[in-house]
Amino acid sequence: MRLSIALAALMLATPALAQDLPLLNQIEMFEAAKGDGLTGVARKTLPVDARPAVEGEIVVSIIPGEGVETQSPPASAGDWVVRNRCFENVEDNPEILVRAARFPERYGPAQSEPDDGGYSEFHPTGVEMEYFIVTEETGEFQFTAPWGEPMVARPGDAIVQIPNDPDDTYRIARVEFDCTYEVVEPAAE
């Protein structure tokens, strides 16, 4: 039921991505920000809830007060659905799909038994990621996320890049970044 509601919301929200927002390349933007000394380093520290994904499942990420952020490609065997713990109402916490190959390096072993929904607690491994903050001057823009879906970035959001993998550069909404990440080296804003 939740997925069908989320997919309906996505269908309504998707045309908004095509509005007159500039289509930018987040990887080129990241390189420019890095060259200008505007990047910092952060790592995810807040525990998350995760469950094995159902093969073929599409995870729609919804940010409270904002709507659909993006959707994943269909899950493959071994992938995981990860839910942050930023909001008191569990249903308000966005979910993302993490590929099987990346999950262990980012979250390690389960810290609890699965609950009734199949979610266990996991602790991020503290992988350091570079980031920059989207400025008011840059404004709102759209780009193609590494998983091939459109994504919108807004002033205040963080654009993060996985170390040694420039193609894995994506947006984290400001509220999620502030809640789940610890800044190791601040980025210039």
Side-chain angles (χ1 to χ4, degrees):
M1 175 76 170
R2 183 173 180 212
L3 180 60
S4 60
I5 292 170
L7 286 175
L10 178 64
M11 287 188 272
L12 293 173
T14 299
L17 296 177
Q19 287 179 1
D20 297 320
L21 292 180
L23 178 61
L24 302 177
N25 182 308
Q26 78 278 19
I27 298 168
E28 291 173 3
M29 291 179 71
F30 200 94
E31 286 307 310
K34 193 172 187 176
D36 290 342
L38 300 175
T39 59
V41 176
R43 63 177 164 242
K44 191 169 188 171
T45 56
L46 189 72
V48 299
D49 298 313
R51 64 168 174 80
V54 175
E55 197 165 348
E57 176 178 7
I58 294 173
V59 178
V60 179
S61 300
I62 300 171
I63 305 295
E66 185 177 306
V68 174
E69 178 182 43
T70 190
Q71 76 174 31
S72 73
S76 299
D79 291 349
W80 288 80
V81 176
V82 175
R83 179 177 64 204
N84 286 327
R85 294 179 168 180
C86 294
F87 302 102
E88 190 174 325
N89 181 359
V90 173
E91 296 297 317
D92 287 340
N93 288 296
E95 295 180 328
I96 60 169
L97 182 72
V98 177
R99 293 294 184 191
R102 294 236 188 229
F103 188 82
E105 73 188 36
R106 291 189 183 168
Y107 295 102
Q111 302 297 309
S112 71
E113 293 298 317
D115 63 16
D116 291 342
Y119 290 91
S120 296
E121 179 176 315
F122 287 84
H123 295 178
T125 59
V127 173
E128 292 186 350
M129 302 169 67
E130 289 186 277
Y131 76 98
F132 74 89
I133 302 297
V134 177
T135 64
E136 290 289 337
E137 180 182 53
T138 300
E140 192 170 340
F141 63 93
Q142 63 181 318
F143 62 93
T144 303
W147 46 93
E149 292 294 324
M151 194 171 226
V152 172
R154 295 174 175 84
D157 291 346
I159 304 295
V160 300
Q161 188 173 84
I162 304 298
N164 304 317
D165 190 0
D167 290 335
D168 205 351
T169 303
Y170 53 92
R171 172 236 192 188
I172 299 177
R174 185 65 191 233
V175 67
E176 291 287 305
F177 186 79
D178 289 346
C179 171
T180 62
Y181 280 77
E182 170 187 70
V183 172
V184 177
E185 296 174 24
E189 288 192 52

